[in-house]
Amino acid sequence: MSQTYLFKRTEGLQDAPTSFCPGCGHGILLRLVAELVWELGLRGRTVGVAPVGCAVTAYDYWNFDVTEAAHGRAPAVATGIKRVHPDRLVFTYQGDGDLAAIGTAEIVHAANRGENLTTVFVNNAVYGMTRGQMAPTTMLGQKTTTTAAGRDPRQHGYPLRVCEMLAGLDGVVYLERLALSDPASVRRIKAAIRKGFECQLSGQGFSLIEVLSPCPVNWNLSPVDSLTYVREVMSPVFPPGVIKDRTCQKPAPGV
Amino acid sequence: MSGNEVAGEAAVAAGCRFYAGYPITPQNQLTEYMSRRVPEVGGVFIQAESELAAINMVFGAAAAGARAMTSSSSPGISLKQEGISYLAGCELPAVIVNMNRAGPGLGDVTPSQADYFQSTRGGGHGDYRTITLGPQNLQELYDLTYLAFELADRYRNPALILGDGILAQVMEPVRLKPLRRVRPAPAWALTGCGDGPPRKILSLFLKPGVAEAHNWRLAAKYRRIEVREQRWDEFQVEDAKLVVAAFGSSARIARASVQAAREEGLAVGLFRPVSLWPFPYQPLRRLAEGRRRFLVVEMNLGQMVEDVRLAVENRGPVSFYGRPGGGVPTPEEILKVIRKTYRGAER
Ligand SMILES: Cc1ncc(C[n+]2csc(CCOP(=O)(O)OP(=O)(O)O)c2C)c(N)n1
């Protein structure tokens, strides 16, 4: 009897249980990256950079070369790798504490140099791994373990919009923000990451895909309510859409 | 060539094809030299946005299998410590040149040896060691920088060159080696895993006992390095009643003082550690067994003197003369201290 698979683990992933909390966006996003690496036929020619944060254990899951990076430094590490191997697919996968707080300088300057890299930026509005402290991306009024009364802009400033900040840099080719809030959005996110990878493979330069991603445990919400939160609370502050697109259709010469 | 250029040229000769740095005096000419020289031989030069970024670019290049280097001076080296700790934890080879200036804080751009502890004790967080070489002149700066790449590769460990503002700025003729053929990326490097199993470069081990086992493995490696890689230089120590111990520029100055003391008929010698980690404990212990007195001279408040005391283990008196904050002793100044200490030795 023949079998038809509707869904199975991509060969871009190793056979390992993940350590993510129920309803966390990381599991989906790490899988999308792995599926793309496999589908593009690049498993043997990819180096991923997973910095400190909930995503650091990606090295246990991804079935291709991976290095860890110190907190915030992934864009610098990826720069080193990519400059040594310009013909490999090199990407960073970073949280919002990592990218938008401690690693602000590294992401801005990698983007500004127009490094031919792709960044998957997972914005879950908190520091997940250290259990839910305020991130630069935390919503105004959002309660976290370091803003018990809710984020107050007079004390803590405002949610940092990374894509808008990077959009003005000439080295940046493609920026898109998407909300991970329902099954259909998963496909759109995958298409955007694919576009980022293809932008790199055709040598066009720096791209970043920001995903608004649920963190039910640290938001004190159920997984389902977290998806609503992404849609109704985060999305108005971080409007999804293509923020910048200077990609050209024809692949540029010399990957 | 100036010392800065010599260090850069040695790296290129050793097959270094990746350099990332950030300007700081007194090593700016090294970064400038590399900006011209590395692309000339087909390598990558990046002026980074900070020392943090520079060391992490080196981390990436090393992980990708390239011979990679960064350089800085003390305040910048402080910033690199996080990255050096990760290099050590992930067992990645890289070379870091520190043209030591005075501290703490911004200090002064004048020569100093105040980063001895930072260089030889790991410097960043965690239980690790970095191979540290302390050249005294430009030929040695060249040879030891070249050697640092070999040692870093051999042990998959970061290696440091601890120079100073004198070494960085002086000009001396140097015998150059032919450019070494660039070695291919080692098997462990991340080049894309092809059809093979994926490779991972990590220092995070969350499963029980794995981090401890990793540290024990590192400890065994450090032990191997301690046994095999002690380097030092001796000058007229055999009959010496007083042995001056100094490294780098201090040793070069102290040698003139030792010679002058010999001309006065004093039985004085010089012991010069060349590898600062591993520190040459064994040869120094051997000297201490001959009932000698020791005088340690450093451009700091007394750091290597602790290693000398560990080696001598109370077999003889150890005294110290130092100048902190960018003060450079003259040969006459050290000679005076030698005369005074020597009288103690005769008693
Ligand atoms: C230098 C340094 N500072 C702090 C930490 C502790 N730390 C680990 S993960 C993390 C925050 C991660 O948050 P984020 O980047 O948003 O990723 P998430 O876990 O939410 O996916 C922090 C502060 C660290 N590992 N290193």
Side-chain angles (χ1 to χ4, degrees):
Chain A
M1 203 179 82
S2 75
Q3 290 181 332
T4 310
Y5 285 101
L6 292 180
F7 182 85
K8 62 173 185 166
R9 179 169 48 78
T10 166
E11 304 200 44
L13 284 176
Q14 293 178 283
D15 187 5
T18 67
S19 54
F20 299 117
C21 311
C24 170
H26 276 305
I28 294 169
L29 297 171
L30 288 173
R31 170 174 62 81
L32 294 183
V33 167
E35 283 176 358
L36 282 166
V37 167
W38 182 253
E39 288 162 18
L40 291 167
L42 293 170
R43 181 201 166 257
R45 304 175 60 77
T46 296
V47 183
V49 183
V52 164
C54 284
V56 70
T57 50
Y59 54 68
D60 277 339
Y61 318 136
W62 283 333
N63 187 19
F64 45 83
D65 281 2
V66 182
T67 183
E68 179 186 302
H71 197 16
R73 317 290 173 229
V77 171
T79 295
I81 297 169
K82 183 73 182 183
R83 294 284 191 109
V84 172
H85 299 300
D87 59 344
R88 300 297 196 264
L89 178 71
V90 181
F91 67 87
T92 69
Y93 180 104
Q94 303 178 251
D96 44 356
D98 192 73
L99 183 142
I102 196 169
T104 324
E106 283 78 4
I107 194 69
V108 166
H109 288 279
N112 192 48
R113 284 190 304 269
E115 293 294 341
N116 191 23
L117 298 168
T118 311
T119 292
V120 178
F121 170 37
V122 183
N123 178 354
N124 60 12
V126 285
Y127 285 46
M129 194 185 215
T130 43
R131 300 281 166 86
Q133 296 85 1
M134 181 188 69
T137 45
T138 294
M139 303 291 103
L140 293 184
Q142 185 180 342
K143 292 191 168 78
T144 71
T145 53
T146 49
T147 55
R151 181 176 188 172
D152 174 354
R154 286 168 307 174
Q155 276 218 51
H156 309 294
Y158 296 85
L160 185 66
R161 293 187 192 91
V162 169
C163 283
E164 285 78 354
M165 182 175 76
L166 297 180
L169 305 178
D170 291 340
V172 176
V173 176
Y174 169 54
L175 296 167
E176 182 165 357
R177 182 187 290 124
L178 304 99
L180 176 50
S181 54
D182 55 36
S185 68
V186 176
R187 286 170 179 265
R188 284 196 300 274
I189 292 165
K190 185 168 173 181
I193 301 174
R194 173 188 280 266
K195 181 166 171 169
F197 283 173
E198 283 171 348
C199 170
Q200 178 184 156
L201 293 169
S202 55
Q204 297 188 51
F206 185 83
S207 59
L208 178 145
I209 296 90
E210 173 175 350
V211 181
L212 310 179
S213 177
C215 184
V217 168
N218 287 309
W219 293 354
N220 265 319
L221 294 174
S222 73
V224 173
D225 289 346
S226 297
L227 296 177
T228 311
Y229 189 87
V230 167
R231 208 165 34 238
E232 293 180 1
V233 181
M234 283 185 81
S235 294
V237 177
F238 299 110
V242 175
I243 315 289
K244 181 173 186 178
D245 188 353
R246 296 248 174 97
T247 56
C248 45
Q249 292 309 307
K250 262 193 263 145
V255 174
Chain B
M1 288 173 108
S2 74
N4 280 322
E5 292 168 332
V6 163
E9 187 52 36
V12 169
C16 171
R17 291 297 178 272
F18 187 98
Y19 174 94
Y22 186 86
I24 184 168
T25 308
Q27 62 83 59
N28 290 317
Q29 296 89 343
L30 176 42
T31 308
E32 288 160 7
Y33 186 78
M34 295 308 252
S35 75
R36 297 186 298 271
R37 187 68 173 120
V38 181
E40 209 171 83
V41 290
V44 177
F45 166 87
I46 306 179
Q47 181 170 331
E49 63 270 28
S50 69
E51 288 85 352
L52 282 171
I55 191 75
N56 281 285
M57 288 171 185
V58 163
F59 180 103
R67 281 198 162 177
M69 176 165 106
T70 184
S71 65
S72 189
S73 180
S74 310
I77 297 289
S78 291
L79 280 182
K80 289 187 199 292
Q81 292 301 342
E82 177 196 51
I84 297 173
S85 170
Y86 274 78
L87 286 166
C90 293
E91 293 193 86
L92 292 176
V95 173
I96 300 115
V97 175
N98 179 7
M99 294 303 188
N100 197 166
R101 61 188 248 182
L106 215 42
D108 189 358
V109 298
T110 44
S112 169
Q113 297 182 320
D115 295 351
Y116 179 90
F117 280 153
Q118 189 200 46
S119 311
T120 57
R121 266 59 182 170
H125 64 286
D127 222 346
Y128 72 94
R129 288 290 188 268
T130 47
I131 295 164
T132 305
L133 306 173
Q136 67 162 352
N137 59 33
L138 295 203
Q139 186 64 53
E140 223 178 53
L141 176 61
Y142 183 86
D143 293 340
L144 292 180
T145 304
Y146 191 100
L147 174 70
F149 280 94
E150 302 293 329
L151 295 178
D153 258 14
R154 191 174 307 154
Y155 297 103
R156 285 186 62 179
N157 204 71
L160 267 61
I161 298 295
L162 184 58
D164 59 44
I166 301 174
L167 218 51
Q169 304 287 337
V170 294
M171 298 185 73
E172 285 172 5
V174 171
R175 233 173 310 103
L176 305 180
K177 298 179 202 289
L179 298 200
R180 183 192 196 283
R181 196 155 7 106
V182 175
R183 63 136 169 75
W188 50 259
L190 306 185
T191 56
C193 62
D195 295 329
R199 290 162 299 196
K200 315 284 161 155
I201 288 185
L202 345 157
S203 63
L204 175 72
F205 306 102
L206 293 173
K207 297 194 180 85
V210 180
E212 183 175 355
H214 175 66
N215 273 260
W216 280 121
R217 216 166 43 70
L218 292 180
K221 174 171 88 175
Y222 300 148
R223 184 75 200 120
R224 270 202 311 282
I225 299 174
E226 282 169 347
V227 169
R228 292 188 199 151
E229 306 297 347
Q230 294 184 21
R231 289 173 165 78
W232 71 94
D233 191 17
E234 293 172 353
F235 174 64
Q236 303 202 335
V237 290
E238 282 317 317
D239 65 335
K241 292 188 179 145
L242 172 69
V243 173
V244 177
F247 76 95
S249 293
S250 294
R252 194 174 185 180
I253 300 166
R255 189 182 165 114
S257 320
V258 166
Q259 260 164 333
R262 280 276 168 185
E263 280 157 25
E264 294 178 8
L266 309 183
V268 181
L270 179 72
F271 182 85
R272 181 171 70 90
V274 174
S275 60
L276 307 179
W277 191 85
F279 188 80
Y281 286 111
Q282 271 108 322
L284 197 55
R285 194 161 294 150
R286 210 191 53 234
L287 283 181
E289 272 152 15
R291 298 189 26 162
R292 293 175 173 92
R293 177 177 275 261
F294 293 87
L295 168 66
V296 181
V297 178
E298 299 177 72
M299 294 191 290
N300 59 40
L301 284 174
Q303 300 191 18
M304 189 184 81
V305 64
E306 295 195 3
D307 280 322
V308 173
R309 290 205 172 105
L310 282 173
V312 171
E313 281 181 327
N314 285 332
R315 290 186 190 89
V318 177
S319 44
F320 172 73
Y321 182 75
R323 293 276 303 269
V328 180
T330 62
E332 297 72 36
E333 192 178 335
I334 298 173
L335 178 60
K336 274 189 207 147
V337 185
I338 288 175
R339 287 195 199 109
K340 217 167 83 192
T341 317
Y342 193 83
R343 284 197 290 276
E346 276 185 331
R347 236 181 277 133

